[in-house]
Amino acid sequence: METDGRLRLREWAEEDRPREKLLLKGAASLSDAELLAILISSGSREETVVQLSQRILSAASNSLHALAKLSVKDLMAFKGIGEAKAIAIVAAMELGRRRRDAEPLERKSVRTSRDARDLFYPLLCDLPYEEFWAAFTSRAGKVIEKVKIGQGGTGTIHIDIRLIMKAAVSALATGIVLCHNHPSGNIQPSRADDDLTFRLAEAAALLDISLLDHIVLSDNTYYSYADEGRLGK
């Protein structure tokens, strides 16, 4: 129990704690006052941190634009707001402004085998051992994320198809692109590569996900199952 009489976030009923609410329901579920309360962290003997946040927002006409115009000195005029809390608020407002002004990151697209090769080449080109990667794509062909599935020696890697499918479902992907390297320099897929490709294509189809390609990389060249028309038996 706090001895200074302040009402801190951890003392509230669980359903009223902004931090826990954010974790349980997402940031979008919080009000402006609750988000501000997370930045401020604690209130005073007279009011909770949310009440303090509501008072600050009220003084700013309940406008985040107006709040963003307040200086550290302006914020410190509110009882319960010291320099550190005022700085945190100003910094958060500045981050919001910069995000608004920033150009959104353009996700890479995979439309051809060359796109797939270029996506993975920087990750695998210089490795003396095998690595197996998967990229998950949206319906528009944009890459959602890349995941390393396994790593081995200079020979084969044991790959669990369930791990790939679990990651694909978690990413809400509609497409999968596989890639692994052959340090030996021979880009011809092995029988194990074929078996994995065919089994994964079948497993993905059951979940309405398409296996778009499987790339075998080696130095300056690559093999594409899609280009060879070999994504199914």
Side-chain angles (χ1 to χ4, degrees), residues 6-7 12 14 87-88 105 117 122 132 144 154 175 211 228:
R6 294 185 178 183
L7 295 173
W12 304 355
E14 184 171 348
I87 289 173
L105 291 174
R117 178 266 182 198
F132 194 100
I144 300 170
T154 57
L211 176 59
E228 299 296 327

Side-chain angles (χ1 to χ4, degrees), residues 53-97:
S53 301
Q54 291 170 334
R55 181 161 59 87
I56 294 172
L57 284 170
S58 178
S61 301
N62 291 310
S63 166
L64 292 178
H65 291 290
L67 179 64
K69 293 180 180 180
L70 297 181
S71 66
V72 170
K73 184 177 180 180
D74 293 333
L75 290 166
M76 288 177 64
F78 291 94
K79 183 178 180 181
I81 299 295
E83 184 178 69
K85 293 179 180 179
I87 289 173
I89 295 170
V90 170
M93 294 295 105
E94 177 63 16
L95 278 174
R97 184 193 67 77

Side-chain angles (χ1 to χ4, degrees), residues 161-179:
I161 287 178
R162 293 170 297 181
L163 294 179
I164 300 175
M165 296 312 304
K166 179 181 178 182
V169 171
S170 296
L172 301 179
T174 59
I176 302 173
V177 179
L178 303 178
C179 184

Side-chain angles (χ1 to χ4, degrees), residues 120 123-124 127 131-135 146-150 159 164 176-181 214:
F120 292 106
L123 298 170
L124 301 172
L127 296 181
E131 280 192 357
F132 194 100
W133 285 71
K146 294 177 290 187
V147 178
K148 185 169 82 169
I149 303 299
I159 300 299
I164 300 175
I176 302 173
V177 179
L178 303 178
C179 184
H180 75 281
N181 61 319
H214 183 175

Side-chain angles (χ1 to χ4, degrees), residues 5-22:
R6 294 185 178 183
L7 295 173
R8 296 184 182 273
L9 292 174
R10 62 177 176 270
E11 295 179 284
W12 304 355
E14 184 171 348
E15 65 271 16
D16 295 328
R17 298 176 187 173
R19 290 173 182 166
E20 282 78 0
K21 184 176 178 181
L22 186 150

Side-chain angles (χ1 to χ4, degrees), residues 130 180-190 193 216-219 221 223:
E130 283 195 21
H180 75 281
N181 61 319
H182 279 182
S184 66
N186 179 10
I187 61 170
Q188 289 302 310
S190 66
D193 293 337
V216 182
L217 276 176
S218 181
D219 295 332
T221 187
Y223 179 96

Side-chain angles (χ1 to χ4, degrees), residues 88-136:
I89 295 170
V90 170
M93 294 295 105
E94 177 63 16
L95 278 174
R97 184 193 67 77
R98 293 185 186 186
R99 183 197 174 192
R100 185 185 66 239
D101 294 341
E103 291 292 329
L105 291 174
E106 182 66 24
R107 287 180 173 175
K108 292 184 178 181
S109 298
V110 176
R111 302 187 184 282
T112 66
S113 64
R114 185 70 185 188
D115 292 338
R117 178 266 182 198
D118 292 346
L119 183 67
F120 292 106
Y121 186 77
L123 298 170
L124 301 172
C125 63
D126 295 324
L127 296 181
Y129 50 84
E130 283 195 21
E131 280 192 357
F132 194 100
W133 285 71
F136 306 114

